[in-house]
Amino acid sequence: MSKLLDLIAKQKALVAEIEKLQQDEKEMKVFELVKDLEALRDKYAYSEADFVSVVLSYYKHETQAKTRKNSSSAKTATEKKPQYRVKLDGKEVVLKESTQGKMKPELEEAVKKAGFTKYAEFLDSLIKKNKVETFDQLIEKLEGELVQ
């Protein structure tokens, strides 16, 4: 029964909000425009997708490819993030700013030893523990060496 009361209360709130927005001149202009657009779409018997496509093409709005086949050809090579060799608890570990990808065994061991399962959590912990704001400041504080 409480769900019904919740829905009724939400309905009353929505009715009040609709009445308030109907008093707003800008909102009413948008509402009228949408009604006119729907009338045009119905007049020419366009589906919603086709109508949107026509409007976007008129304004020369670039849309993403609809199929993976077309979109994969437009991929660009991603630049690898620099990696830095640092000493943590007497062991050398290679850190990188990116939290994507697979961890090297030494890094995975250090992450697990610190009690984390994810590199991002481990990295956040290191930043907090060393009282720095950014990854670059962390590398500077840990005297990290750039790995080629």
Side-chain angles (χ1 to χ4, degrees):
M1 185 105 150
S2 65
K3 287 184 180 181
L4 178 60
L5 292 176
D6 288 343
L7 287 174
I8 291 172
K10 287 179 185 178
Q11 181 182 20
K12 286 181 181 179
L14 284 173
V15 167
E17 189 173 346
I18 288 170
E19 289 173 358
K20 179 182 170 193
L21 290 174
Q22 284 176 337
Q23 303 301 319
D24 186 355
E25 188 178 320
K26 288 181 183 178
E27 290 292 336
M28 285 310 295
K29 284 182 181 179
V30 170
F31 185 70
E32 291 299 319
L33 176 64
V34 169
K35 282 186 1 186
D36 292 346
L37 287 173
E38 279 299 306
L40 274 174
R41 187 180 69 79
D42 290 339
K43 177 180 177 182
Y44 294 104
Y46 275 111
S47 68
E48 280 187 29
D50 290 341
F51 185 74
V52 169
S53 178
V54 167
V55 172
L56 291 176
S57 66
Y58 177 74
Y59 288 102
K60 296 180 175 83
H61 185 272
E62 302 274 334
T63 58
Q64 293 181 353
K66 291 184 179 180
T67 62
R68 296 241 330 114
K69 183 178 177 184
N70 292 339
S71 64
S72 66
S73 63
K75 281 188 177 177
T76 58
T78 57
E79 193 175 306
K80 286 190 172 185
K81 299 276 185 180
Q83 298 181 357
Y84 300 92
R85 182 174 292 117
V86 297
K87 280 199 175 191
L88 296 176
D89 298 327
K91 288 193 175 191
E92 282 193 0
V93 178
V94 176
L95 299 178
K96 62 180 178 175
E97 186 172 8
S98 172
T99 58
Q100 301 289 323
K102 197 167 178 117
M103 290 186 278
K104 293 183 179 178
E106 303 85 28
L107 181 57
E108 191 171 0
E109 184 181 319
V111 169
K112 285 182 181 177
K113 186 177 179 183
F116 298 98
T117 56
K118 295 181 180 177
Y119 176 67
E121 295 168 347
F122 174 69
L123 196 56
D124 288 342
S125 171
L126 278 177
I127 289 173
K128 286 178 187 172
K129 187 188 296 182
N130 286 284
K131 298 176 183 165
V132 293
E133 299 291 318
T134 65
F135 177 78
D136 292 331
Q137 291 173 347
L138 175 67
I139 295 302
E140 189 176 310
K141 185 163 186 174
L142 296 175
E143 299 174 357
E145 255 180 60
L146 184 64
V147 176
Q148 297 293 334

